Amino acid sequence: ILEFQLMTEETILDFEARIAVSAPNETMVIVRDITERKRGEAKIKIALSRERDLNEMKTRFVSMASHEFRTPLTTILSSAELIEHYGDRCSDAKKLQFLNKIKTAAKHMTSLLNDVLLINKAEAGKSEFKPEALDLTVFCQEIIEELQITTDKHELIMQSHIPDVSVPIDQKLMRHILTNLISNAINYSPSGGEIIVSLAQQNNEIELRVRDSGIGIPEESKATLFESFVRGANVGTISGTGLGLAIVKKSVDLHQGRIDCLSSVGKGTTFTIHLPLLLEPIVELSPIVELS
């Protein structure tokens, strides 16, 4: 049995040829069009591949959730029990301290769930993209000031070298990009130090860089850097969901941009986001299977 293809102006056709000896000095060739069968097989392979990816993602999610939700849940439970059993002996200040712990833990869990819902929406091709002209320098500075309050071991520095140009930016997505990149730089620089956020223009692109001097990313982890629920091999006890960079990548893709990473273990990491000044018409893509 031989299989071969014929290319027409419109499509590619698949055929199967069976060769048999029907009589002395006579050979018979039977040719059958198997185009539909091949297309069906291709669809099945794609579906099986997506199912495997989905199962892997579910497994990673369960692993992440069981680890990341344990600490805030323990905090909520222990604080609630202390108030229940010893509330009559606690001062108002102490009660307020326990309530603040519960509130902080609940906010942390809500943030984790929001990240999961966000990446699920992006994987399903349902993310909204609403670009508008934005002063990127001012916007970045505002995010930096918000995050500087969360750390006293790091100095967040803003450097802008872009002219006064209108950049088509979705503010919601850009907040995800900046917040995740800067938060990662803080989390994975446990010794503190400078985190530099810089803006520059190269030809028809805006380049946004976030540079730290933290633990860096091992070479073997770079291939899966932007996959959901996947983390670097050297993160140790540093908490995280493995969703931050996946969210960044999806948000950059919606801006028709690209993201580069330079990193050295023990020396730090630099992420560079390239954003076009002019957007191309958006092409609809087939949605990916949602997490159920």
Side-chain angles (χ1 to χ4, degrees):
I1 300 175
L2 298 176
E3 293 184 2
F4 60 94
Q5 291 182 326
L6 290 179
M7 185 179 295
T8 69
E9 292 183 358
E10 298 179 353
T11 187
I12 297 176
L13 302 176
D14 291 278
F15 292 92
E16 176 184 88
R18 296 173 179 263
I19 303 174
V21 177
S22 56
N25 301 321
E26 183 178 274
T27 301
M28 179 173 59
V29 179
I30 301 173
V31 179
R32 185 173 59 169
D33 186 343
I34 59 170
T35 304
E36 290 303 316
R37 191 188 81 188
K38 284 292 185 181
R39 289 175 180 171
E41 290 174 353
K43 289 180 180 179
I44 291 173
K45 288 180 181 179
I46 293 172
L48 288 173
S49 177
R50 286 181 175 176
E51 184 68 21
R52 283 194 297 269
D53 292 343
L54 188 58
N55 286 334
E56 287 180 10
M57 186 176 291
K58 287 179 178 178
T59 300
R60 293 173 191 165
F61 169 71
V62 171
S63 176
M64 178 278 296
S66 62
H67 182 267
E68 290 297 317
F69 286 4
R70 184 179 292 115
T71 300
L73 281 172
T74 300
T75 300
I76 291 172
L77 182 61
S78 60
S79 297
E81 287 178 342
L82 287 169
I83 293 173
E84 179 184 5
H85 297 296
Y86 304 103
D88 55 338
R89 284 173 270 173
C90 291
S91 65
D92 290 341
K94 198 66 176 177
K95 289 179 184 177
L96 184 60
Q97 182 182 350
F98 290 142
L99 289 172
N100 283 334
K101 286 184 177 181
I102 293 173
K103 186 177 179 181
T104 300
K107 283 183 176 180
H108 179 56
M109 290 181 65
T110 301
S111 177
L112 294 178
L113 289 172
N114 284 339
D115 282 349
V116 173
L117 293 173
L118 182 64
I119 198 66
N120 187 30
K121 193 174 182 180
E123 292 285 359
K126 297 179 180 179
S127 296
E128 294 182 346
F129 179 56
K130 299 178 179 179
E132 57 185 68
L134 182 69
D135 188 328
L136 197 53
T137 300
V138 173
F139 186 79
C140 290
Q141 186 63 48
E142 289 174 353
I143 300 295
I144 285 174
E145 290 173 0
E146 291 175 12
L147 293 175
Q148 181 67 76
I149 299 173
T150 67
T151 177
D152 54 7
K153 295 172 61 178
H154 306 80
E155 183 181 3
L156 307 187
I157 300 172
M158 177 72 198
Q159 299 175 346
S160 180
H161 308 286
I162 60 174
D164 185 15
V165 294
S166 295
V167 185
I169 296 293
D170 183 304
Q171 289 196 38
K172 189 174 181 179
L173 294 177
M174 180 53 65
R175 178 172 286 274
H176 289 315
I177 292 171
L178 278 168
T179 302
N180 278 295
L181 287 180
I182 298 173
S183 295
N184 277 359
I186 293 172
N187 291 338
Y188 298 113
S189 302
S191 300
E194 293 182 347
I195 295 171
I196 299 175
V197 179
S198 62
L199 289 169
Q201 182 177 349
Q202 295 291 336
N203 300 322
N204 292 319
E205 291 183 338
I206 293 295
E207 292 183 355
L208 165 64
R209 284 192 177 89
V210 177
R211 176 165 60 87
D212 65 59
S213 53
I215 64 174
I217 301 168
E219 204 60 40
E220 64 270 21
S221 298
K222 291 180 180 178
T224 57
L225 197 57
F226 301 107
E227 291 186 14
S228 300
F229 307 114
V230 177
R231 304 184 69 207
N234 63 333
V235 297
T237 58
I238 301 174
S239 64
T241 62
L243 285 175
L245 289 179
I247 291 171
V248 170
K249 180 66 165 60
K250 297 293 183 183
S251 300
V252 171
D253 288 345
L254 285 169
H255 280 90
Q256 300 176 22
R258 66 186 192 280
I259 180 170
D260 299 326
C261 174
L262 290 175
S263 187
S264 180
V265 173
K267 296 183 179 179
T269 301
T270 299
F271 282 100
T272 303
I273 308 293
H274 305 266
L275 301 172
L277 289 172
L278 296 174
L279 297 177
E280 299 293 332
I282 295 176
V283 178
E284 293 290 334
L285 299 177
S286 299
I288 299 175
V289 179
E290 282 191 76
L291 280 171
S292 58

